[in-house]
């Protein structure tokens, strides 16, 4: 019996992705070449190679397994994550090169550029958590292209017009990606039938794999937060403060999860998300925090916000606005990211009061603009992307087929096709 799934996966997807990949190869052929500078290659490989490896583990293993807790959608969660990462890195390398040197239209490929491209591609992996199980792979391909383009444009505007440094513009990835994903989820929202709600449930083994993803992210988050810091002292502070914030948010999440349960039991769903909130919240300001207690306070508040959001938002906010956030990206990345942006602005204000440098006052205005721009561009580009993905030409999966691997994967042991 043949597959009953819409023809978009059998016909359009291979043609669409292979043509796209061929186009990328042609662009790389004409416009990209490897770095041939005279810098010490051994030192570059040791420094940037180690950071690239850490970031790649976060993206491929951490983000892949973090979203694998749905009991009938584990294959798609991990494999689609790898697919989006592989495509997003290629596209981000080209975009970053073209936007950095627009007159020459020549992309010089360095380890640092691949590292930044991997970090940029993580924006899609975060956003995809909001629509997980409700979009086919053809829709996700278009989402990769549009979101990476919008995020790269946002970073360029932040650096050139709002005087944001490379680190800060990248650390607002959580705010941008969360609200991009929520807006796309709002555009794709459909009332879930009872059978779809049952397939969205978490079970023991998939939740354990999701916890594995959480552990990978928790261990390598200090490398992510300090990856773009070039001054050794700032990089050291970034690593230290991220560890302190993550540690406190982990303790807070586990304790508060037990406190909010009538029988004092801990929710694994809370642990998947809230233990990472400290790393998100401290991202933008990790190099500015002078004392560990400040990072610990940020981790504590982030853990409280994340657990509170996990308890309240699905019942109140999401139902009122009609947004179905599959993996809770709002309270995992969005709200802690906003907290981190506000904390960064507060630290800059404190720095002004001590230095009495009037130019820093303008920088605070610019920093506020960068945070606002991240949210605004995430919402606007997410709305455009969601409206395009809602077109019938994509033949999105029927709501009855949500959260089901059988719609996308071959199961040889099943007698009947799907």
């Amino acid at each position: 019996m043949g597959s009953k799934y819409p023809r978009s996966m059998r016909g359009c997807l291979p043609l669409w992705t292979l043509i796209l990949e061929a186009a990328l190869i042609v662009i790389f052929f004409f416009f990209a070449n490897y770095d041939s500078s005279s810098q010490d290659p051994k030192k570059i490989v040791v420094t940037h190679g180690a950071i690239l490896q850490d970031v790649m583990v976060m993206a491929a293993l951490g983000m892949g397994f973090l979203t694998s807790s749905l009991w009938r959608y584990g294959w798609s969660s991990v494999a689609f994550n790898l697919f989006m990462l592989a495509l997003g890195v290629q596209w981000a390398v080209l975009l970053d090169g073209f936007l950095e040197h627009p007159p020459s239209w020549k992309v010089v490929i360095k380890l640092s550029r691949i590292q930044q491209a991997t970090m940029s591609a993580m924006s899609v992996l975060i956003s995809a958590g909001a629509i997980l199980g409700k979009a086919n792979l053809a829709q996700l391909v278009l989402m990769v292209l549009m979101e990476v383009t919008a995020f790269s444009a946002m970073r360029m505007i932040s650096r050139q017009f709002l005087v944001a440094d490379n680190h800060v513009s990248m650390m607002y990835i959580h705010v941008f990606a969360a609200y991009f994903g929520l807006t796309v989820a709002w555009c794709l929202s459909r009332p879930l039938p009872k059978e779809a709600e049952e397939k969205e449930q978490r079970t023991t083994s998939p939740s354990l794999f999701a916890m594995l993803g959480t552990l990978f992210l928790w261990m390598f988050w200090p490398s992510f937060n300090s990856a773009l810091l070039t001054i050794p002292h700032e990089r050291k502070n970034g690593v230290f403060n991220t560890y302190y914030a993550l540690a406190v948010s982990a303790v807070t999440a586990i304790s508060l999860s037990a406190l909010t349960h009538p029988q004092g039991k801990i929710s694994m769903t809370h642990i998947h998300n809230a233990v990472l909130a400290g790393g998100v919240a401290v991202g933008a300001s990790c190099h500015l925090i002078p004392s560990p207690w400040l990072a610990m306070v940020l981790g504590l508040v982030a853990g409280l916000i994340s657990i509170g959001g996990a308890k309240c938002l699905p019942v109140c906010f999401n139902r009122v606005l009609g947004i179905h956030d599959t993996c809770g990206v709002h309270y995992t990345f969005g709200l802690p990211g906003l907290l981190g942006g506000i904390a960064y602005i507060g630290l800059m204000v404190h720095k002004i009061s001590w230095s009495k440098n009037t130019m820093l006052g303008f920088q605070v205005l610019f920093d506020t603009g960068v945070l606002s721009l991240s949210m605004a561009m995430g919402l606007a580009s997410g709305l455009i992307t969601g409206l395009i993905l809602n077109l019938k030409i994509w033949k999105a999966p029927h709501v009855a087929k949500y959260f089901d691997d059988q719609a996308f994967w071959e199961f040889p042991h099943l007698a009947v096709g799907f």
Side-chain angles (χ1 to χ4, degrees):
M1 185 174 180
S3 173
K4 296 180 181 179
Y5 193 71
R7 290 175 294 172
S8 59
M9 290 297 293
R10 294 185 298 178
C12 295
L13 177 66
L15 182 64
W16 163 221
T17 53
L18 289 176
I19 290 176
L20 177 60
E21 190 59 51
L24 288 172
I25 292 173
V26 171
I27 296 173
F28 271 93
F29 176 78
F30 285 106
F31 299 104
N33 57 276
Y34 289 129
D35 181 26
S36 58
S37 62
S38 59
Q39 295 180 349
D40 184 4
K42 183 177 179 180
K43 182 178 179 181
I44 292 175
V45 170
V46 169
T47 55
H48 290 291
I51 297 174
L52 173 62
Q53 187 177 38
D54 290 352
V55 173
M56 194 66 73
V57 168
M58 286 185 65
L61 289 177
M63 295 302 300
F65 282 107
L66 178 66
T67 57
S68 65
S69 59
L70 299 182
W71 72 288
R72 292 186 63 174
Y73 204 71
W75 289 18
S76 301
S77 300
V78 178
F80 288 2
N81 180 86
L82 176 61
F83 183 93
M84 291 187 290
L85 174 64
L87 180 63
V89 170
Q90 296 175 68
W91 185 231
V93 166
L94 292 175
L95 281 177
D96 289 345
F98 289 148
L99 293 176
E100 186 176 335
H101 303 290
S104 64
W105 292 105
K106 203 69 176 179
V107 179
V108 179
I109 299 178
K110 311 175 184 177
L111 275 175
S112 59
R113 190 177 299 284
I114 299 176
Q115 169 195 312
Q116 289 191 54
T118 305
M119 297 173 75
S120 296
M122 284 183 67
S123 62
V124 187
L125 310 184
I126 294 171
S127 299
I131 62 169
L132 188 72
K134 298 173 288 186
N136 61 32
L137 199 52
Q139 291 174 299
L140 294 177
V141 170
L142 181 65
M143 179 173 162
V144 169
L145 298 178
M146 297 197 67
E147 181 166 4
V148 172
T149 302
F151 182 65
S152 298
M154 185 275 292
R155 292 191 66 219
M156 182 200 68
I157 295 172
S158 299
R159 293 196 306 266
Q160 294 191 2
F161 299 101
L162 298 176
V163 205
D165 61 32
N166 202 23
H167 167 78
V168 172
S169 65
M170 180 63 77
M171 288 302 107
Y172 286 142
I173 183 174
H174 310 294
V175 173
F176 174 91
Y179 289 100
F180 182 101
L182 289 171
T183 311
V184 174
W186 178 73
C187 293
L188 299 180
S189 61
R190 302 285 187 278
L192 297 180
K194 185 177 181 179
E195 58 268 24
E197 292 181 356
E198 291 175 354
K199 287 187 287 187
E200 195 194 3
Q201 299 302 315
R202 274 71 170 168
T203 53
T204 302
S205 295
S207 290
L208 189 59
F209 279 114
M211 190 62 197
L212 179 65
T214 301
L215 292 177
F216 275 117
L217 290 170
W218 197 90
M219 289 187 298
F220 289 103
W221 211 287
S223 294
F224 181 87
N225 280 359
S226 61
L228 300 182
L229 297 172
T230 55
I231 301 174
H233 174 70
E234 291 185 348
R235 176 171 289 183
K236 181 188 69 174
N237 279 357
V239 171
F240 288 168
N241 288 319
T242 304
Y243 269 121
Y244 286 123
L246 282 169
V248 174
S249 66
V251 174
T252 302
I254 295 172
S255 304
L256 198 61
S257 180
L259 180 64
T260 55
H261 192 276
Q263 298 175 341
K265 295 185 178 182
I266 302 169
S267 168
M268 183 61 85
T269 303
H270 294 168
I271 307 310
H272 291 163
N273 301 303
V275 298
L276 303 173
V280 175
V282 83
S285 58
C286 62
H287 60 299
L288 294 178
I289 297 176
S291 302
W293 70 269
L294 284 173
M296 297 168 77
V297 168
L298 267 180
L300 174 67
V301 177
L304 293 173
I305 290 176
S306 188
I307 292 293
K311 294 292 291 185
C312 301
L313 288 181
V315 178
C316 306
F317 181 79
N318 291 359
R319 290 186 181 178
V320 171
L321 296 181
I323 300 174
H324 181 264
D325 183 4
T326 306
C327 294
V329 299
H330 194 191
Y331 51 81
T332 306
F333 298 98
L335 295 179
L338 285 175
L339 172 65
I342 295 170
Y344 177 77
I345 295 170
L347 286 170
M348 291 299 294
V349 171
H350 177 73
K351 190 175 180 180
I352 291 171
S353 65
W354 278 93
S355 64
K356 302 189 185 308
N357 187 344
T358 56
M359 293 303 296
L360 286 176
F362 291 104
Q363 186 59 50
V364 169
L365 293 177
F366 288 144
D367 292 332
T368 306
V370 173
L371 179 60
S372 303
L373 177 69
S374 302
M375 177 180 284
M377 284 200 68
L379 291 170
S381 56
L383 178 62
I384 295 171
T385 303
L387 292 175
I388 295 175
L389 295 184
N390 226 0
L391 297 176
K392 293 183 179 179
I393 59 172
W394 300 105
K395 297 181 180 178
H398 189 272
V399 66
K401 302 294 188 290
Y402 280 2
F403 318 116
D404 203 324
D405 276 331
Q406 286 182 295
F408 305 99
W409 295 92
E410 179 184 4
F411 285 80
H413 61 282
L414 297 181
V416 179
F418 209 88

